[in-house]
Amino acid sequence: MRYLDDVVTLRLDAAKCNGCRMCLTVCPHNVFRMEDKRAVLQTRDACMECGACMLNCAAGALTVRSGVGCASGIINGILRGTDACCDNTSSGCC
Amino acid sequence: MSNSPNDDVHKARSTPKPEPVSCGCSGPACCESVAESGPPVSRRTATEPIPVGTTLKLRDHLGALAARWGIGRMSFIVEPGLYAIGEPDSASPVLVSANYKLTFDRVRSQLGGRNAWLLVLDTKGINVWCAAGKGTFGTDELVHRLQITALADRVEHRRLIVPQLGATGVCAHEVRQRSGFKVYFGPVCARDLPLFIDSDLKCTPEMRRVRFPVRERVVLIPIEIVGGLRIMILAALALVVLAGLGRDGYSLTRVWGTGLRSALLLIATFLTGASLVPLLLPWLPGRAFAVKGAWTGAFAAAAVGWLAYSQPGLLGSPVMAVAWLLFIPTAMSFTGMNYTGASTYTSLSGVIKEMKVAVPLQIGFAGAAALLWLAGLFTT
Ligand code: SF4
Ligand code: SF4
């Protein structure tokens, strides 16, 4: 299953990457691959903007506007003027 | 560092998260915040580990079933703290989890016959992924929980197994700086935990991927239904009441005829959309969920249209039939769009992009359908 193309805000600054592989570990959608001891984006459009890679890249090579793609959350946020909400039964996986 | 167990979990995560719009939601049901309404947690000595079994009882399964339908979710909370599985010692692995009972149960039930420490963070009864997105399953809470449970005194090693989906809130290098513990991001699914522990805390690439198989899609259907039900029943009642209007004044015959049929059709549209979109998700045309929903609705409308054609008058006047043919795809498009929150691969930017196009269209079509339906009352 793939979502929309060319929308995500993920950026990788190859010059800052130290090759620690952390982004490969945390990414749930296999967005990264190693090439010449540096991370490269192999499936950028598969990114769901969860922000895990940015948070865990100690070198600061990754940026992404993180948030969860949830229409009702966005609507609720707009209606209430607050952050949107979370459902505690949607478990993702396990 | 604060010593109160509750005041730090509201703090934002350590890395700024621009425009935090939402977190892994599925439907409006989630908005009744568990955070403030949870039952009071009993005061135990924070550092005393709580023994816990690995076999799920009937009560656990029934509770899980109820929670899936949105019943009693407010009490589906586990006390945060340190739990002892089996008879852990200073060399036993430490697993970190959330205090949502479904998550907690899933983790402990995988650890039968093992000795391990289970460090349960206070995520306000929300699962790991959602809580990580909100920052409650995060660096601050983890470091804090390590301190108040004095875990460093109980184990000799400095390894924490954190679920990979928690990486959205837990910054491994910061945890190490602040606590000395090294975070090992474990598998996405709890069922892979035994293998992960046995293979020296290494995951296969498969164990790192998030998927969205049919079983997980189906399990989220009830909560979508429960979430939308209240507004649907109100709308259905409105249809019943409005259906009495007409050129000849208010007619109870129409209330029981057109009104009741309209109400049933509305509920059926909602239930069909909320179940078919998740079920058929991979096979529905289009990438955008609003489009997937609209297609589902188009097929449903075709079926309804055929019924109305073979049984004229079933949907009221022809104008009303047109209203339904417009409304059904629109409503299912909206239901489909709302399912983005339950899915595991939609990005915020993508959802915003599809909403910018879909929401105005949905409002336009739904408005047109409502006007036609009302007009239909006066043209019979
Ligand atoms: S986490 Fe950052 S530094 Fe490490 S490999 Fe990925 S991009 Fe490079
Ligand atoms: S934001 Fe999440 S999904 Fe996107 S690349 Fe980073 S870790 Fe992967």
Side-chain angles (χ1 to χ4, degrees):
Chain A
M1 280 176 271
R2 279 272 295 284
Y3 198 44
L4 311 183
D5 285 337
D6 292 327
V7 289
V8 296
T9 51
L10 177 70
R11 294 271 177 282
L12 165 64
D13 183 347
K16 286 190 188 160
C17 173
N18 63 21
C20 71
R21 304 181 71 98
M22 197 57 165
C23 51
L24 278 78
T25 299
V26 297
C27 179
H29 289 294
N30 202 16
V31 167
F32 304 95
R33 172 164 47 97
M34 293 307 281
E35 215 167 74
D36 294 336
K37 297 189 175 155
R38 293 241 172 107
V40 291
L41 303 176
Q42 60 173 353
T43 47
R44 184 165 177 270
D45 288 331
C47 170
M48 64 174 301
E49 302 186 322
C50 69
C53 55
M54 175 171 73
L55 185 64
N56 280 285
C57 175
L62 291 162
T63 49
V64 60
R65 175 184 66 172
S66 63
V68 174
C70 168
S72 48
I74 294 170
I75 293 172
N76 280 322
I78 292 169
L79 294 182
R80 296 165 183 227
T82 59
D83 279 10
C85 54
C86 188
D87 171 20
N88 59 2
T89 57
S90 97
S91 57
C93 186
C94 302
Chain B
M1 207 32 39
S2 142
N3 286 319
S4 150
N6 286 323
D7 65 0
D8 62 345
V9 287
H10 290 297
K11 270 187 214 152
R13 49 208 282 192
S14 45
T15 295
K17 185 184 175 191
E19 295 183 44
V21 176
S22 67
C23 65
C25 342
S26 74
C30 58
C31 298
E32 284 112 46
S33 165
V34 185
E36 271 70 50
S37 54
V41 167
S42 70
R43 289 272 156 248
R44 217 180 250 271
T45 323
T47 50
E48 171 200 336
I50 309 161
V52 65
T54 55
T55 328
L56 301 188
K57 308 254 162 51
L58 181 65
R59 197 165 31 122
D60 299 320
H61 291 296
L62 289 179
L65 193 66
R68 287 286 178 210
W69 283 93
I71 306 160
R73 290 199 301 166
M74 304 309 154
S75 54
F76 228 53
I77 287 185
V78 191
E79 189 177 341
L82 187 63
Y83 289 78
I85 288 173
E87 286 170 2
D89 57 22
S90 63
S92 303
V94 180
L95 295 101
V96 182
S97 191
N99 77 331
Y100 179 43
K101 190 165 181 300
L102 275 183
T103 312
F104 178 79
D105 281 353
R106 241 179 227 139
V107 172
R108 71 187 171 101
S109 63
Q110 295 299 330
L111 299 170
R114 288 167 190 271
N115 299 320
W117 299 103
L118 188 54
L119 184 68
V120 173
L121 305 191
D122 185 1
T123 60
K124 307 290 180 192
I126 289 172
N127 73 61
V128 171
W129 207 1
C130 287
K134 281 193 162 180
T136 46
F137 189 97
T139 310
D140 287 344
E141 164 63 8
L142 176 53
V143 171
H144 179 64
R145 201 56 57 186
L146 283 171
Q147 282 174 346
I148 60 177
T149 55
L151 189 73
D153 301 336
R154 293 184 188 280
V155 292
E156 273 159 12
H157 63 80
R158 288 292 175 264
R159 291 184 299 272
L160 297 174
I161 301 173
V162 176
Q164 185 193 330
L165 295 181
T168 300
V170 171
C171 172
H173 54 268
E174 201 186 318
V175 171
R176 185 154 209 193
Q177 271 163 22
R178 284 167 58 182
S179 72
F181 278 89
K182 182 165 182 211
V183 169
Y184 289 78
F185 286 112
V188 164
C189 291
R191 86 175 95 86
D192 293 327
L193 268 174
L195 185 60
F196 177 76
I197 296 171
D198 292 340
S199 48
D200 239 356
L201 308 191
K202 288 200 174 55
C203 274
T204 64
E206 280 303 293
M207 283 150 72
R208 297 240 169 264
R209 294 288 295 279
V210 165
R211 293 167 200 285
F212 204 29
V214 67
R215 192 181 57 85
E216 281 166 34
R217 300 200 301 272
V218 167
V219 111
L220 296 176
I221 293 175
I223 210 70
E224 293 285 312
I225 290 177
V226 171
L229 207 57
R230 198 170 34 190
I231 190 109
M232 277 302 132
I233 289 173
L234 285 179
L237 285 177
L239 287 185
V240 172
V241 173
L242 284 173
L245 299 172
R247 267 187 307 203
D248 51 352
Y250 200 83
S251 145
L252 281 182
T253 327
R254 260 200 310 277
V255 167
W256 295 123
T258 312
L260 213 56
R261 273 202 299 268
S262 297
L264 286 178
L265 191 54
L266 180 76
I267 301 276
T269 302
F270 167 65
L271 292 179
T272 312
S275 2
L276 282 189
V277 173
L279 261 178
L280 303 179
L281 198 68
W283 304 286
L284 290 170
R287 295 263 182 95
F289 280 45
V291 174
K292 287 177 181 291
W295 273 106
T296 317
F299 291 125
V304 169
W306 180 78
L307 263 182
Y309 180 75
S310 51
Q311 267 181 290
L314 186 74
L315 300 181
S317 65
V319 184
M320 285 180 139
V322 173
W324 282 108
L325 296 188
L326 276 183
F327 178 75
I328 293 171
T330 308
M332 292 202 189
S333 168
F334 185 76
T335 314
M337 198 182 75
N338 269 341
Y339 197 67
T340 49
S343 85
T344 55
Y345 67 96
T346 49
S347 61
L348 176 60
S349 301
V351 174
I352 290 175
K353 184 178 175 189
E354 82 167 88
M355 285 178 77
K356 275 192 181 141
V357 181
V359 173
L361 285 174
Q362 286 161 355
I363 293 176
F365 277 96
L371 287 178
L372 281 174
W373 186 85
L374 283 172
L377 290 174
F378 291 86
T379 52
T380 17

